[in-house]
Amino acid sequence: MGWEAEPSGRTGTLHGRFEEQARRSPDAVAVRCGARELTYGGLDERANRLARHLVAQGLEPGDRAAVALGRGTEVFVALLAVLKAGGAYVPLEPGAPDALLRHALADADPALVVTEEAHRVRLTDTGGRTVVCLDSAAETIAALPADPPPVTTGPDDLACLFFTSGSTGLPRGALIEHRNLLAAHQGWCEVYGLSPADRILQTASLEFDVFTADWVRALCTGATLVVAPRNLTLDRTADIADLPALVAAERITVLELNVRTARRLHDHLAAVGATLPGVRLLTVGAEKWYLDEQLGLQRLLNQDVLGAGAGGGTRVLNVYGLAEASVDSTYFDAAGSAGGDLSERVSLVGTPFPGARVHVLGPDGRPAPAGEVGEIAVAGPGLGRGYLNRPEETARRFVPAAFDPNGRVLLTGDLGRFRADGVLEFTARAESVVGPTDSVRSADVVRRVTAAARAEGALRAHPAVREAAVAEVEPQPGTRTLVGYAVTAPDAEEADAWSLSVRLSNELPAGEAPAAVVPLPALPRTRAGKLDRAALPLPAPRKHATGRKAGKGGKGGGKAGGGRTDGTAPGAFSGCVWAGCAVPVALLALVLTDALWPGSTDLSAVPGPYSTYFRILYFFELASFGLGLIYLLFGYPTIAGYGRPTALAVATHLSVFWLLASWWPQDNLYRTSSATDWPRQSVLVFVFNVALMVSAAVVVRFLAWRSPAERK
């Protein structure tokens, strides 16, 4: 294949690699989108004509050109044309929010913009740069020669600019050279086994690095790139059921999905009992993907295939990487992995792609021993130049490293560890848990992020939890605490905030359990489909928490509420209030004792010190009666807050009342009854003694109760 050649001259560029495939198979289909398609020869000629037009419009070697086009075949003509003209493309989604487009155009400052008339106004109101509209200039472009313009481009020239999210909230432009993406392409070819026979599905949006990765994998290999008509990342109304149908109709063999889409696909296929026939490789990335999810999707796709992952069926890979290092750095192939009992709590991102290198750095910035959590650093020929217009951030993230052969690594801001078998385990992105920090590798940050990751794994291990997240929040200035967020199955009513909090408190080490768990209908997502940690709501303050209903979305001090915010049940009655209210009730009972049971508490014939012991007993009987009556009147919210079934909660409420209040009337009745009055004694035994036993059994049942989902 073309990637085997040593990069030099035009063959050391992305468009040079594509041109090799066009010369080899000009009639092969390069790109398809619906009924439209372009052959390699046709795509090459159209890109050459547009490249000549861009040069005529003032695009010079080394310039940047923004490309803002919708889904279809024209966008690939434009991307290749910019490269053939010697420029670097800046991919922009034309439907992106105005603020994002304005920032990207101002930061990248492209020499010109390639778009369509429908998007001209939105893309030109921030400056007087040249705009090339492919539809209105179609006749002019078609009249130009079909050979490439005489422009020299080398492997070290800039190929594209990826805008990625930064700690300031504003996207930053990562500078990627031709040689970086060609090195990534070589790794993809070796690991994925890419060939001209492949049909690669593209579901990503133009603005994301995976879009570029998809077309490089396909068009630099001689494969066919099939563009999904609908954007599964940005179009939240897109029906996931359309994806399997498209895969079958287009005979797709390779596709990459983000984690959110992969989860939706798994649920859909499991519900209808279907697979993806013909797909030999499915890769999932862009977010933390747990091992049990990877294994589950692999089993689902290979349920009718023997020897999956060993020459048959669908390989399912978990891929990890950053745009700054040409998209992918490591991969984990779950074929042959049993997973183990803790597969729902770990994410394995495996080993480096050929040519890439990965290190886990300790607090001193040196490689940490196996098993120790540290910051993940990536290196190799896929590492880009740095960030546009951000020299300080470039110097902070792209650092010298004497321990790496290239002497330079990219600090990812992610934490992980190498296991004893050499497999890289992903822990979490530090910034997403503790917020922006300059000390990702510090012992304190590692401890906090690891605790959050452990809590997240424990939360999503609950049978009723479909998705989970744990992050530090600041409910009050200067106070930071862990909060869990859970999306539960629709029929799992018992998986309420309080029950989930209790489960985590019982399972996790002391001090690591989230202070609250907030049930959500869905986790908030960014434009890229990743978890939007900044949009996670705060839990409700304690005074607003009212048990299970509040946990399902009650309003409080945050955007949504639920669960506990301290060690008490929602709606719990203060101990001081209990005692204060019980005192007058106990005094009233003291006054009524002699009126109801004359002589019951007469101790004149009892010698000391035994009379004192009996007075202590009478005190506790009165106090217990007072507490019981106050609990009967005001204590039900405490029991209801545990999320048990209503009938059990009511029975427990009455049982606790009887266990507290019955001693005062019981002992007084016994003391004023004849020992041989058998009818009266029998009534007392069943009304009090047997009832107390039943009440105790009800309380035990309440404490031992588990939801149906937990009992599975």
Side-chain angles (χ1 to χ4, degrees):
M1 286 180 284
W3 58 264
E4 294 172 347
E6 186 70 25
S8 62
R10 198 170 177 84
T11 60
T13 63
L14 291 172
H15 52 286
R17 190 65 54 81
F18 162 76
E19 289 167 354
E20 292 177 9
Q21 304 301 332
R23 288 192 296 270
R24 182 177 294 121
S25 304
D27 297 327
V29 176
V31 182
R32 275 181 55 83
C33 184
R36 295 167 294 171
E37 66 179 33
L38 288 173
T39 64
Y40 271 87
L43 176 57
D44 190 37
E45 290 183 359
R46 292 191 58 183
N48 287 339
R49 291 190 175 99
L50 178 56
R52 286 183 172 273
H53 183 69
L54 298 181
V55 171
Q57 295 298 309
L59 185 65
E60 299 180 354
D63 282 349
R64 294 181 290 275
V67 175
L69 293 165
R71 302 186 73 75
T73 57
E74 294 302 307
V75 63
F76 303 100
V77 175
L79 296 177
L80 287 168
V82 171
L83 298 176
K84 286 171 176 280
Y89 66 82
V90 182
L92 299 177
E93 182 64 36
D98 286 339
L100 179 59
L101 287 176
R102 288 173 179 271
H103 168 75
L105 289 170
D107 197 29
D109 192 22
L112 54 80
V113 178
V114 182
T115 186
E116 297 168 318
E117 287 291 344
H119 309 301
R120 174 193 284 271
V121 174
R122 294 191 70 222
L123 296 166
T124 57
D125 65 349
T126 59
R129 59 183 58 85
T130 301
V131 178
V132 175
C133 294
L134 298 186
D135 44 0
S136 59
E139 291 186 8
T140 301
I141 296 170
L144 295 174
D147 56 324
V151 175
T152 300
T153 310
D156 296 334
D157 288 324
L158 193 65
C160 58
L161 186 68
F162 293 140
F163 274 97
T164 67
S165 58
S167 59
T168 62
L170 294 175
R172 57 203 175 191
L175 302 164
I176 304 298
E177 300 171 354
H178 286 265
R179 64 180 182 87
N180 302 142
L181 284 170
L182 286 178
H185 177 248
Q186 179 168 345
W188 289 323
C189 284
E190 291 187 23
V191 174
Y192 296 174
L194 300 177
S195 76
D198 279 317
R199 297 174 66 84
I200 301 176
L201 181 64
Q202 183 173 74
T203 63
S205 172
L206 170 61
E207 67 186 277
F208 303 131
D209 56 351
V210 177
F211 185 97
T212 290
D214 281 336
W215 82 253
V216 169
R217 292 173 191 138
L219 301 186
C220 290
T221 306
T224 299
L225 182 66
V226 179
V227 181
R230 300 190 70 175
N231 189 324
L232 293 177
T233 302
L234 297 181
D235 188 352
R236 303 299 167 84
T237 65
D239 189 350
I240 195 64
D242 294 340
L243 181 57
L246 177 64
V247 167
E250 293 289 350
R251 307 186 311 281
I252 300 301
T253 62
V254 176
L255 72 156
E256 176 160 340
L257 303 174
N258 62 26
V259 170
R260 176 178 177 271
T261 305
R263 287 171 177 160
R264 294 176 62 207
L265 176 64
H266 175 276
D267 292 346
H268 169 72
L269 293 178
V272 301
T275 61
L276 297 178
V279 174
R280 66 173 188 81
L281 177 67
L282 170 60
T283 64
V284 179
E287 196 177 6
K288 188 173 184 177
W289 197 36
Y290 286 88
L291 180 56
D292 68 315
E293 297 179 294
Q294 184 180 1
L295 292 171
L297 185 55
Q298 179 174 270
R299 284 191 294 266
L300 181 63
L301 295 180
N302 294 289
Q303 56 187 324
D304 298 324
V305 180
L306 295 177
T314 304
R315 293 175 66 202
V316 179
L317 306 184
N318 185 8
V319 295
Y320 166 80
L322 277 69
E324 296 92 326
S326 302
V327 189
D328 294 328
S329 294
T330 71
Y331 69 98
F332 179 72
D333 190 340
S337 173
D341 295 336
L342 298 179
S343 61
E344 74 276 5
R345 306 184 185 217
V346 299
S347 175
L348 302 182
V349 292
T351 56
F353 278 86
R357 290 182 298 280
V358 179
H359 310 278
V360 173
L361 307 184
D364 59 355
R366 301 283 303 171
E372 183 177 309
V373 176
E375 183 176 13
I376 300 174
V378 298
L383 207 60
R385 292 183 187 174
Y387 300 111
L388 179 68
N389 302 327
R390 287 170 172 78
E392 292 183 359
E393 189 163 10
T394 297
R396 182 173 62 86
R397 296 285 302 279
F398 293 79
V399 300
F403 52 82
D404 186 82
N406 283 10
R408 179 171 174 261
V409 298
L410 167 65
L411 302 179
T412 64
D414 298 329
L415 296 184
R417 69 184 184 101
F418 279 117
R419 306 198 317 174
D421 57 4
V423 172
L424 180 63
E425 178 182 331
F426 181 85
T427 302
R429 182 157 189 79
E431 185 177 280
S432 66
V433 176
V434 301
T437 176
D438 293 327
S439 55
V440 172
R441 298 186 301 277
S442 71
D444 177 62
V445 170
V446 170
R447 176 188 57 79
R448 290 155 58 196
V449 173
T450 303
R454 190 157 40 235
E456 182 173 301
L459 181 57
R460 71 174 304 275
H462 189 288
V465 174
R466 303 175 63 179
E467 289 187 278
V470 173
E472 281 190 355
V473 301
E474 193 170 2
Q476 297 177 349
T479 303
R480 302 188 65 84
T481 185
L482 282 181
V483 174
Y485 302 87
V487 178
T488 58
D491 58 345
E493 289 295 329
E494 295 83 1
D496 60 282
W498 175 244
S499 298
L500 293 173
S501 292
V502 170
R503 178 188 175 106
L504 294 180
S505 296
N506 293 335
E507 182 174 333
L508 295 170
E512 287 194 6
V517 175
V518 181
L520 297 174
L523 295 176
R525 299 284 172 178
T526 65
R527 282 176 52 80
K530 299 179 182 179
L531 177 67
D532 187 354
R533 300 264 176 173
L536 289 170
L538 293 175
R542 176 183 168 189
K543 65 180 180 180
H544 292 292
T546 56
R548 187 155 39 162
K549 290 184 179 180
K552 291 291 181 183
K555 295 180 181 179
K559 302 175 186 175
R564 58 177 190 172
T565 55
D566 54 21
T568 63
F573 211 41
S574 166
C576 294
V577 175
W578 273 38
C581 294
V583 169
V585 176
L587 292 175
L588 178 62
L590 174 64
V591 173
L592 292 176
T593 299
D594 284 337
L596 295 174
W597 301 286
S600 172
T601 57
D602 182 8
L603 299 174
S604 59
V606 179
Y610 303 107
S611 59
T612 302
Y613 298 157
F614 279 105
R615 288 189 179 91
I616 294 173
L617 170 65
Y618 299 158
F619 168 79
F620 277 104
E621 287 177 351
L622 294 169
S624 182
F625 177 77
L627 288 172
L629 189 59
I630 295 302
Y631 179 82
L632 177 66
L633 297 176
F634 305 107
Y636 182 72
T638 301
I639 291 295
Y642 283 86
R644 304 301 195 254
T646 301
L648 180 59
V650 171
T652 303
H653 177 60
L654 295 175
S655 295
V656 172
F657 156 70
W658 195 241
L659 286 168
L660 288 170
S662 66
W663 299 101
W664 175 64
Q666 173 187 245
D667 281 4
N668 281 290
L669 284 169
Y670 271 124
R671 288 192 292 267
T672 57
S673 299
S674 171
T676 58
D677 187 348
W678 302 116
R680 186 181 179 94
Q681 290 290 340
S682 298
V683 171
L684 291 178
V685 165
F686 279 93
V687 171
F688 292 102
N689 298 65
V690 173
L692 286 170
M693 298 175 196
V694 172
S695 297
V698 171
V699 172
V700 170
R701 171 59 181 154
F702 180 88
L703 295 174
W705 183 88
R706 293 292 180 270
S707 69
E710 291 177 301
R711 293 196 294 267
K712 291 180 180 178

